[in-house]
Amino acid sequence: MKKALWKKMVMLMTALTVGFAFSVTTAFGAVEGQTIMGDHKRVIGIYNSAGEIEFQPAASNEGASPAKLNAAALTRLCKGDQKKTIVIPAGSDVKINYAIKIGDNTTIKADGATIVQTDSKKGMMSNDVNALNYNSLKNVKIIGGTWKTASSAGLKGTMFKFAHAQNILFDGCDISSNYSGHSIELIACKNATVQNCVINGVGSASKTCLEEQVQIDIATPKTAPGIVQYGAKYVKGQTCKNIKILNNTIKGARGVCANYASKESKFKSKFHSNITVSGNTITGVRSEALALFNTTSATVTNNKIYSKGSRTSSAYTVGLHCALFGKAPKSIKKAKITISGNTVKGGRQAVQVYSHTSSKYGKVSITKNKLYCKKGKKNALKAPKQSISKVSTKGNKMYKW
């Protein structure tokens, strides 16, 4: 081929590349500018140069319900197990009318965006339950965003519900649910982290409300009725492990609770393990701020924990409440509960570590905390030796609140 002709062809190819930027291949193998189509022949996503999918919210003039279109579009983008990142544009106000179903290997970036559930009986996001051993959902990140309901009374249920899942991250999110529901519910999950979030109950809480905004849950028919539909094998008392609650502000009827099967005696011998709660401000407006039930090992450090309930004769007003309700596994003998550097305020006690059975906690260290109690400073700490094999309670300061 002659040099002159070759030169002209190179120039033409260069011009075409500049004129059509969408032909550039992204880091994920997609093509920048490539579109993803949804219902009604509308574009629901566009790949950017980083290989992320930029979600395209529905406009009010598109001839169908924007909330329905958005819910369908986000479910379509989030489903499947391929690696993907969906970006909800900053400044957008995205309405949905049913819960988004999410698949493995999904990152959602929503910094500066607001996502609103318009149906007060529907959640925000959940997963299908189709595998045991924490394999129903894997590798999910929810980063940023304000997630709320249109109702001033809040959602009557759970906003984010993930079950039999692993490697879950909530980071920098603002999430709100009704006081009688949950903002985040982790059912039989492992390796899950909630960090740098603001999580609040909205509406009003009854005087006897016990529901927590962040629930670390056991999978049984009564504690997790929403997953019974997937089969009996998914509600056999599976528990959570390696859960981290870090640097959040959380307010609920209860703030945070590791739950147990209070109404199902055959599951009371099931225990959570390795829960870390650090750097948070946690408030329970009617019940405990932080409750760790049937939990063999936990670390609770450098938090502000406030239980503001008025029933000061009840355990529900303990600030930090640790309790055993069933026969613990042998591993509890070597497990450790560490409670250190916290400011805790409660009604009946600030901190209680107690066994309601013949089982005992292994090692419990309650040190260098500031403990405030409405029943007087002598009642601020309850950690009897008959409930604990080895206990240290050094350097705590007690006050009447």
Side-chain angles (χ1 to χ4, degrees):
M1 184 181 293
K2 294 183 178 180
K3 290 184 178 180
L5 179 58
W6 172 251
K7 186 176 181 180
K8 287 182 180 180
M9 289 182 68
V10 171
M11 291 175 66
L12 178 61
M13 291 171 66
T14 302
L16 286 171
T17 301
V18 172
F20 297 93
F22 58 79
S23 64
V24 176
T25 301
T26 72
F28 286 87
V31 176
E32 182 183 1
Q34 179 181 335
T35 60
I36 301 172
M37 304 300 294
D39 295 338
H40 300 275
K41 298 181 179 180
R42 60 178 301 274
V43 174
I44 61 173
I46 302 174
Y47 281 95
N48 62 23
S49 61
E52 301 168 331
I53 302 167
E54 296 187 359
F55 173 61
Q56 305 298 300
S60 58
N61 61 356
E62 293 194 44
S65 163
K68 184 177 181 179
L69 289 173
N70 286 330
L74 284 169
T75 291
R76 182 166 182 170
L77 295 176
C78 292
K79 71 179 183 180
D81 296 336
Q82 73 278 13
K83 187 176 181 180
K84 53 200 174 293
T85 297
I86 296 101
V87 179
I88 302 177
S92 60
D93 190 352
V94 178
K95 293 180 173 60
I96 63 174
N97 65 357
Y98 62 84
I100 301 161
K101 287 289 186 179
I102 192 167
D104 293 355
N105 305 312
T106 303
T107 296
I108 298 175
K109 295 181 178 180
D111 286 322
T114 299
I115 302 88
V116 181
Q117 175 55 264
T118 61
D119 188 333
S120 63
K121 296 180 181 180
K122 302 290 178 62
M124 184 66 71
M125 191 174 296
S126 65
N127 67 288
D128 287 324
V129 179
N130 51 25
L132 296 171
N133 300 316
Y134 308 104
N135 284 319
S136 284
L137 182 68
K138 295 176 285 187
N139 308 324
V140 166
K141 297 178 181 179
I142 313 295
I143 301 172
T146 297
W147 307 80
K148 64 180 185 178
T149 63
S151 170
S152 60
L155 179 76
K156 297 177 180 178
T158 298
M159 291 288 280
F160 291 88
K161 181 187 292 184
F162 295 150
H164 292 278
Q166 63 177 294
N167 299 336
I168 306 297
L169 172 67
F170 290 88
D171 190 359
C173 304
D174 187 329
I175 308 172
S176 57
S177 185
N178 187 282
Y179 276 108
S180 61
H182 314 300
S183 285
I184 297 173
E185 184 176 2
L186 302 170
I187 307 168
C189 291
K190 76 172 183 179
N191 303 337
T193 299
V194 180
Q195 63 185 26
N196 307 317
C197 295
V198 176
I199 301 172
N200 285 312
V202 295
S204 60
S206 70
K207 291 183 179 180
T208 58
C209 187
L210 306 177
E211 300 299 332
E212 48 276 340
Q213 284 303 300
V214 177
Q215 185 180 62
I216 302 165
D217 208 2
I218 181 174
T220 74
K222 291 186 178 180
T223 62
I227 64 172
V228 173
Q229 61 180 309
Y230 295 103
K233 65 183 179 180
Y234 297 113
V235 284
K236 288 189 175 296
Q238 297 92 336
T239 55
C240 292
K241 62 182 179 181
N242 304 337
I243 308 296
K244 295 180 180 180
I245 311 296
L246 309 173
N247 304 317
N248 306 282
T249 299
I250 301 170
K251 182 176 73 172
R254 265 190 184 130
V256 178
C257 178
N259 198 20
Y260 81 106
S262 62
K263 299 178 181 179
E264 299 160 289
S265 59
K266 68 178 181 179
F267 296 121
K268 287 185 179 179
S269 61
K270 303 294 185 179
F271 282 72
H272 307 290
S273 63
N274 198 22
I275 295 174
T276 300
V277 183
S278 183
N280 306 277
T281 298
I282 306 174
T283 303
V285 300
R286 298 299 187 193
S287 303
E288 301 102 325
L290 175 59
L292 299 177
F293 299 145
N294 276 14
T295 300
T296 60
S297 51
T299 300
V300 182
T301 56
N302 303 319
N303 302 280
K304 296 178 180 179
I305 300 170
Y306 308 141
S307 176
K308 296 185 176 182
S310 60
R311 297 172 291 169
T312 55
S313 61
S314 168
Y316 295 129
T317 61
V318 174
L320 168 53
H321 187 185
C322 300
L324 304 181
F325 294 98
K327 184 178 180 180
K330 292 181 180 180
S331 61
I332 200 171
K333 293 180 180 180
K334 295 182 179 180
K336 188 173 183 178
I337 301 287
T338 299
I339 300 169
S340 181
N342 305 283
T343 298
V344 188
K345 297 182 179 181
R348 200 183 72 177
Q349 280 92 30
V351 173
Q352 175 177 288
V353 181
Y354 190 80
S355 176
H356 295 269
T357 73
S358 60
S359 294
K360 290 185 177 184
Y361 285 96
K363 298 179 181 179
V364 175
S365 176
I366 307 171
T367 59
K368 299 180 180 180
N369 301 282
K370 294 181 179 179
L371 306 179
Y372 297 78
C373 180
K374 289 183 179 180
K375 298 286 282 187
K377 66 181 183 179
K378 291 183 179 180
N379 297 300
L381 174 60
K382 183 178 182 180
K385 292 182 179 180
Q386 62 264 32
S387 293
I388 304 166
S389 296
K390 186 177 181 180
V391 61
S392 173
T393 57
K394 297 179 181 179
N396 298 295
K397 295 182 179 180
M398 316 287 190
Y399 305 92
K400 179 177 173 58
W401 181 22

